[in-house]
């Protein structure tokens, strides 16, 4: 079960809007009117007193009492005005500190902007075209190298074309010679064919035989030379094509280098113009920031002077080396008041003093977190809240959680009729005493709000057992006593009648806390109450996100809540008891725990003692202003 799930459903008053200034009681909202009304009342009292003096004799003693009454009234007025002045000064100081915080934050932003702008200005000024120029030089060098390469390739191509032309001319000459050779053969063949005389033909053939052989040898040689020439020309043309391809590539590379060089030059111009514009803009911006910086420095200096002045004013007026102000309550947060035990009147006064203070200031219910057992805890708290005209607090209680059952029993406590009993009723307390016929005490019945609260059982005039009942008449707890009238053990029951917890005592000291499940089986056995409370706190998972925890600094439950949940000191208010008697210990506590900023004290005397002895600024509020009620005027009313 979660922390807030256990809260009783009650109608809460709507929250009032929160303000940053410390809250003041309604009677303090218009101190001038209060002071005027009180002054008028005192004046009226004086006039009436004067009139009475005209008619009746007034003794010197009565005059003194009248004067003391007027002085007491003036002392209360002075104290109220002094408190109003203190609140006003703190509010004014808080306003200045809020402005200072805002300006400090703005100044930090300005300084960061100045640094970033100066760094960017220095970086921009440090920028140059060296890298771009080096890159451009490299590109131009590469282009020049390729242009030289192009010239070489072109020269090679020219030489190759000249060779091809020479080879081609020679090839054409060879082909012409071959044609002539073939024509000579044809002419010889024709002359032979045209000779009709066989002898002449044979003679002619014999004569031409050598010529024909010569022609064939020449032809063979010419064809060989032609083939070689053609092969050479084909190879040279291939080389020329390759050179043309390389020349084309080199030309493309040269064009690329020219384009790249053009782009680099354009970028250098663009970067140069950008740097000029950027530097001019940054210098104007830095100048503007410097002027704003000087302005904020001036405003901060003025505010710091005001804060110092008000701080000195407060210390001079209230005779304290350090500032002691009221605890600031944030109405947007939830407040939890922790108490392990408030059985004694002193503990109850402290608890309800804290609740009264918080609910009066916050104008909404707080939550009481308790590990204290009482069979009428809600009735006690509700009655006290109604009496003080406060919102009824929410209650989260260890024993409430343990004892609550979804199926409560219908069995209610009754006193049976017994003819052998002799019953007597105490007139003052209305308690019932039951005896046997021999006047031996058997039991006593105690009542709470006319309902049976507890029944005490006796044997041989000694108490042996006590049954304790809740407001619905269900058995809540039983106490068993040993022969020495010492508490031996105490059992606690769920509302369905099953046992949930047994506490075993030895010489009135608890030595064991045995926790049982719904089947009556032992679930946990704790040696100390702190172990039981720690287990409980972990099971309820208190909400620490938006909460403030309030309690007696020495209270067991309060200490465990702080430790188990690691509550930040910013979300705590501690009640310090008997400060006047233990002022040295209190100052030592505050010295050792500088994180403690908000504390409650019991009386005005405690507050004044801290004001006189504190070693640092701190927020202190009084939960009980009715210490002795006596105020006296100071020696001088001058501030």
């Amino acid at each position: 079960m979660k922390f807030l799930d256990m809260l009783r459903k009650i109608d809460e008053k709507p929250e009032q809007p929160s303000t940053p200034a410390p809250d003041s009681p309604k009677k303090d909202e218009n101190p001038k009117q209060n002071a005027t009304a009180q002054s008028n009342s005192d004046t009226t009292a004086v006039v009436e007193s004067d009139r009475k003096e005209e008619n009746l004799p007034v003794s010197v003693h009565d005059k003194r009492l009248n004067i003391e009454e007027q002085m007491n009234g003036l002392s209360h007025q002075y104290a109220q005005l002094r408190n109003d002045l203190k609140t006003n000064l703190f509010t004014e100081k808080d306003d200045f500190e809020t402005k200072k915080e805002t300006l400090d934050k703005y100044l930090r932003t300005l300084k960061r902007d100045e640094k970033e702008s100066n760094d960017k200005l220095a970086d921009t000024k440090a920028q140059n075209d060296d890298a771009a120029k080096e890159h451009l030089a490299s590109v131009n060098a590469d282009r020049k190298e390729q242009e030289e390469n192009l010239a070489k390739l072109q020269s090679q191509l020219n030489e190759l074309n000249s060779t091809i032309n020479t080879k081609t001319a020679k090839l054409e000459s060879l082909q012409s010679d071959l044609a002539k050779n073939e024509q000579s053969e044809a002419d010889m063949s024709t002359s032979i064919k045209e000779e009709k005389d066989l002898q002449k033909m044979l003679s002619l053939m014999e004569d031409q035989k050598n010529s024909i052989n010569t022609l064939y040898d020449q032809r063979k040689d010419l064809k060989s030379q032609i083939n070689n020439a053609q092969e050479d020309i084909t190879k040279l043309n291939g080389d020329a094509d390759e050179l043309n391809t390389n020349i084309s590539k080199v030309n493309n590379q040269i064009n690329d280098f020219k384009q790249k060089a053009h782009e680099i030059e354009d970028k250098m111009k663009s970067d140069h113009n950008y740097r000029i514009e950027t530097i001019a803009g940054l210098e104007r911006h830095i100048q503007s920031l410097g002027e704003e910086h000087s302005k904020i420095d001036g405003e901060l200096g003025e505010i710091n002077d005001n804060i110092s002045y008000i701080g000195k004013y407060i210390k001079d007026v209230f005779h304290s080396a350090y500032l002691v102000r009221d605890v600031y309550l944030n109405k947007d947060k939830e407040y939890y008041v922790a108490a392990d035990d408030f059985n004694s009147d002193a503990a109850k006064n402290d608890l309800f003093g804290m609740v009264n203070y918080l609910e009066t200031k916050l104008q909404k219910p707080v939550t009481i977190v308790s590990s204290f057992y009482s069979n009428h805890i809600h009735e006690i708290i509700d009655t006290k809240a109604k009496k003080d005209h406060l919102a009824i607090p929410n209650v989260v209680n260890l024993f409430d959680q343990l004892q609550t059952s979804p199926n409560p029993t219908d069995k209610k406590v009754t006193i049976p009729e017994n003819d052998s009993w002799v019953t007597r009723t105490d007139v003052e307390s209305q308690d019932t005493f039951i005896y046997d016929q021999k006047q031996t005490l058997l039991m006593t019945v105690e009542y709470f709000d006319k309902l049976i609260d507890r029944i005490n059982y006796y044997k041989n005039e000694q108490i042996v057992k006590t049954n304790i009942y809740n407001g619905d008449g269900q058995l809540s707890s039983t106490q068993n006593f040993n022969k020495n009238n010492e508490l031996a053990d105490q059992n606690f029951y769920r509302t369905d009648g099953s046992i949930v917890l047994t506490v075993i005592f030895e010489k009135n000291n608890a030595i064991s806390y045995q926790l049982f499940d719904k089947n009556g089986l032992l679930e946990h056995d704790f040696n100390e109450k702190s172990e039981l409370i720690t287990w409980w706190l972990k099971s309820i998972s208190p909400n620490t996100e938006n909460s403030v925890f309030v309690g007696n600094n020495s209270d067991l439950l309060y200490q465990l809540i702080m430790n188990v949940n690691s509550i930040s000191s910013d979300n705590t208010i501690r009640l310090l008891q008997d400060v006047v008697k233990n002022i040295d210990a209190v100052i030592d506590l505050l010295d050792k725990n500088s994180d403690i900023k908000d504390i409650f004290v019991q009386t005005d005397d405690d507050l004044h003692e801290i004001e006189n002895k504190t070693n640092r600024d701190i927020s202190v509020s009084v939960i009980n202003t009715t210490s002795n009620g006596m105020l006296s005027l100071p020696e001088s009313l001058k501030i």
Side-chain angles (χ1 to χ4, degrees):
M1 183 181 293
K2 296 298 181 182
F3 202 43
L4 296 178
D5 294 340
M6 298 185 296
L7 300 181
R8 295 181 300 151
K9 303 297 182 181
I10 62 173
D11 294 330
E12 298 182 359
K13 296 180 180 179
E15 296 185 16
Q16 303 298 320
S18 60
T19 58
D23 296 324
S24 300
K26 290 183 178 179
K27 66 180 182 179
D28 299 342
E29 290 177 355
N30 198 337
K32 291 184 178 179
Q33 291 182 4
N34 292 338
T36 303
Q38 182 65 37
S39 177
N40 292 339
S41 176
D42 293 338
T43 303
T44 302
V46 172
V47 172
E48 290 178 355
S49 176
D50 291 341
R51 289 176 180 173
K52 289 180 180 180
E53 287 181 358
E54 294 176 359
N55 299 322
L56 297 174
V58 180
S59 67
V60 175
H61 175 73
D62 289 338
K63 288 182 179 180
R64 177 174 65 80
L65 292 179
N66 189 12
I67 293 171
E68 289 178 349
E69 183 179 352
Q70 294 180 55
M71 291 186 66
N72 189 54
L74 288 174
S75 70
H76 281 82
Q77 291 181 54
Y78 177 78
Q80 182 61 60
L81 289 172
R82 192 171 186 270
N83 185 66
D84 290 342
L85 174 62
K86 182 179 180 182
T87 301
N88 180 274
L89 288 170
F90 280 139
T91 302
E92 189 175 0
K93 184 172 182 289
D94 286 341
D95 288 342
F96 280 125
E97 287 178 341
T98 300
K99 292 178 183 177
K100 172 181 167 58
E101 183 178 352
T102 301
L103 289 177
D104 280 337
K105 184 177 180 180
Y106 180 43
L107 186 60
R108 287 195 295 272
T109 302
L110 282 178
K111 289 180 178 178
R112 183 172 63 250
D113 196 359
E114 282 182 309
K115 182 179 184 305
E116 291 175 355
S117 298
N118 279 309
D119 290 346
K120 187 174 181 180
L121 178 62
D123 180 63
T124 304
K125 286 183 176 181
Q127 293 174 11
N128 53 52
D129 297 324
D130 291 348
K133 289 178 180 177
E134 184 177 346
H135 189 195
L136 179 62
S138 175
V139 170
N140 287 330
D142 290 340
R143 185 187 67 183
K144 185 177 180 181
E145 181 181 350
Q146 291 303 318
E147 288 175 344
E148 292 174 353
N149 187 27
L150 177 62
K152 291 179 181 179
L153 291 174
Q154 195 66 49
S155 175
Q156 290 176 8
L157 180 62
N158 292 336
E159 291 177 2
L160 188 60
N161 286 331
S162 177
T163 302
I164 291 174
N165 291 334
T166 302
K167 293 280 187 183
T168 301
K170 185 177 181 181
L171 174 63
E172 291 174 350
S173 176
L174 290 173
Q175 289 174 337
S176 177
D177 291 342
L178 178 62
K180 289 178 180 180
N181 181 281
E182 290 175 344
Q183 185 62 44
S184 297
E185 181 188 2
D187 291 341
M188 287 181 184
S189 176
T190 300
S191 64
I192 292 174
K193 289 179 179 179
E194 290 178 351
E195 182 62 48
K196 303 297 183 180
D197 188 344
L198 291 175
Q199 289 183 347
K200 290 181 179 180
M201 180 186 297
L202 290 172
S203 176
L204 183 60
M205 289 176 61
E206 185 66 28
D207 293 338
Q208 292 181 347
K209 181 177 180 181
N210 293 330
S211 297
I212 290 171
N213 289 334
T214 301
L215 283 175
Y216 282 155
D217 290 340
Q218 286 178 349
R219 183 182 298 176
K220 183 177 179 181
D221 182 58
L222 286 172
K223 286 184 176 180
S224 175
Q225 290 185 47
I226 289 172
N227 288 334
N228 290 336
Q230 287 177 335
E231 288 177 1
D232 289 343
I233 290 172
T234 300
K235 182 178 181 302
L236 290 173
N237 282 328
D239 293 342
D241 290 340
E242 185 177 351
L243 279 174
N244 280 319
T245 301
N246 290 337
I247 287 171
S248 177
K249 289 181 180 179
V250 170
N251 274 321
N252 289 336
Q253 289 179 347
I254 290 172
N255 290 331
D256 288 342
F257 286 133
K258 287 180 179 179
Q259 179 65 26
K260 188 175 292 185
H262 180 69
E263 291 174 354
I264 293 172
E265 289 171 347
D266 286 346
K267 188 174 185 306
M268 286 171 60
K269 292 178 182 179
S270 174
D271 289 347
H272 179 73
N273 292 334
Y274 172 78
R275 286 198 298 272
I276 291 175
E277 293 175 3
T278 302
I279 289 171
L282 286 171
E283 287 176 342
R284 289 193 299 271
H285 183 59
I286 291 170
Q287 182 181 358
S288 175
L289 289 175
E291 292 171 356
E292 185 71 5
H293 191 158
S294 299
K295 176 185 172 184
I296 299 303
D297 279 339
E299 292 180 12
L300 270 174
E302 185 177 346
I303 288 176
N304 286 328
D305 290 343
N306 287 329
I307 292 173
S308 298
Y309 171 77
I310 292 177
K312 184 177 184 301
Y313 189 104
I314 292 172
K315 294 171 185 178
D316 291 344
V317 169
F318 299 103
H319 309 294
S320 173
Y322 297 91
L323 303 180
V324 179
R325 68 178 72 192
D326 286 336
V327 172
Y328 170 69
L329 302 181
N330 187 341
K331 293 183 179 180
D332 293 331
K333 292 192 174 184
E334 298 297 325
Y335 285 76
Y336 296 89
V337 182
D340 174 56
D341 182 3
F342 53 93
N343 193 33
S344 67
D345 291 338
K348 195 176 297 183
N349 287 338
D350 285 342
L351 173 65
F352 286 109
M354 290 185 283
V355 172
N356 190 323
Y357 181 88
L358 292 170
E359 292 196 345
T360 299
K361 297 284 187 180
L362 296 169
Q363 292 297 297
K364 68 176 183 178
V366 299
T367 299
I368 296 177
V369 185
S370 171
S371 47
F372 169 64
Y373 171 73
S374 170
N375 54 329
H376 299 293
I377 186 170
H378 295 292
E379 292 91 334
I380 293 171
I381 292 174
D382 292 359
T383 300
K384 179 64 177 176
K386 291 176 182 177
K387 180 181 177 182
D388 293 340
H389 305 289
L390 300 172
I392 296 177
N394 306 309
V395 177
V396 178
N397 179 263
L398 165 63
F399 289 91
D400 259 3
Q401 183 190 3
L402 292 179
Q403 295 186 275
T404 299
S405 171
N407 301 306
T409 179
D410 295 332
K411 186 177 180 180
K412 306 297 175 67
V413 60
T414 57
I415 304 299
E417 297 290 337
N418 194 319
D419 296 336
S420 64
W421 287 353
V422 178
T423 303
R424 297 173 184 170
T425 301
D426 183 89
V427 176
E428 183 176 352
S429 66
Q430 293 300 306
D431 291 345
T432 299
F433 296 81
I434 299 175
Y435 302 86
D436 62 11
Q437 297 296 328
K438 297 180 181 180
Q439 299 299 309
T440 302
L441 182 63
L442 299 178
M443 64 184 75
T444 61
V445 182
E446 301 177 17
Y447 293 86
F448 180 88
D449 199 18
K450 298 182 180 180
L451 299 174
I452 295 177
D453 179 57
R454 61 182 61 206
I455 301 176
N456 302 306
Y457 295 91
Y458 293 85
K459 184 176 182 179
N460 299 327
E461 302 294 329
Q462 285 190 343
I463 188 169
V464 293
K465 181 180 180 182
T466 295
N467 285 354
I468 302 172
Y469 302 88
N470 61 24
D472 293 326
Q474 299 160 335
L475 181 63
S476 176
S477 178
T478 60
Q479 295 176 327
N480 296 304
F481 300 87
N482 60 22
K483 297 178 182 179
N484 299 322
N485 282 348
E486 295 174 342
L487 183 60
D489 60 70
Q490 183 169 4
N491 299 311
F492 298 89
Y493 301 89
R494 299 183 183 90
T495 53
D496 62 8
S498 62
I499 190 168
V500 64
L501 178 68
T502 294
V503 183
I504 300 174
F505 294 84
E506 186 176 291
K507 295 182 179 180
N508 289 324
N509 293 319
I511 60 172
S512 177
Y513 293 81
Q514 298 177 350
L515 192 65
F516 300 92
D517 63 17
K518 294 181 181 180
N519 297 317
L521 299 176
L522 182 64
E523 188 175 7
H524 296 285
D525 189 358
F526 303 110
N527 295 322
E528 298 177 352
K529 187 177 182 181
S530 60
E531 296 177 2
L532 172 64
I533 295 174
T534 300
W535 167 84
W536 176 58
L537 291 176
K538 290 180 179 179
S539 69
I540 63 176
S541 302
N543 175 24
T544 60
E545 291 295 325
N546 192 42
S547 306
V548 178
F549 292 84
V550 185
N552 186 334
N553 192 54
S554 59
D555 183 82
L556 174 63
L557 175 59
Y558 185 73
Q559 292 176 347
L560 290 174
I561 288 177
M562 298 300 102
N563 294 333
V564 171
N565 297 284
S566 301
I567 306 298
S568 166
S569 60
D570 293 335
N571 295 323
T572 64
I573 305 176
R574 305 162 189 258
L575 171 66
L576 303 183
Q577 297 175 302
D578 300 324
V579 170
V580 173
K581 295 180 182 178
N582 304 297
I583 186 60
D584 292 337
V586 169
I587 297 302
D588 185 58
L589 172 70
L590 298 179
D591 286 345
K592 291 179 179 178
N593 299 275
S594 58
D595 58 329
I596 298 178
K597 298 180 178 66
D598 299 320
I599 62 174
F600 282 159
V601 294
Q602 295 168 308
T603 68
D604 287 319
D605 295 336
D606 295 333
L607 170 61
H608 298 324
E609 194 70 16
I610 289 178
E611 284 181 327
N612 294 332
K613 296 291 183 68
T614 182
N615 295 324
R616 61 182 171 90
D617 297 348
I618 195 167
S619 297
V620 184
S621 290
V622 180
I623 63 169
N624 178 15
T625 57
T626 58
S627 52
N628 55 24
M630 294 299 294
L631 294 173
S632 60
L633 289 172
E635 294 180 1
S636 171
L637 289 178
K638 293 181 179 180
I639 299 299

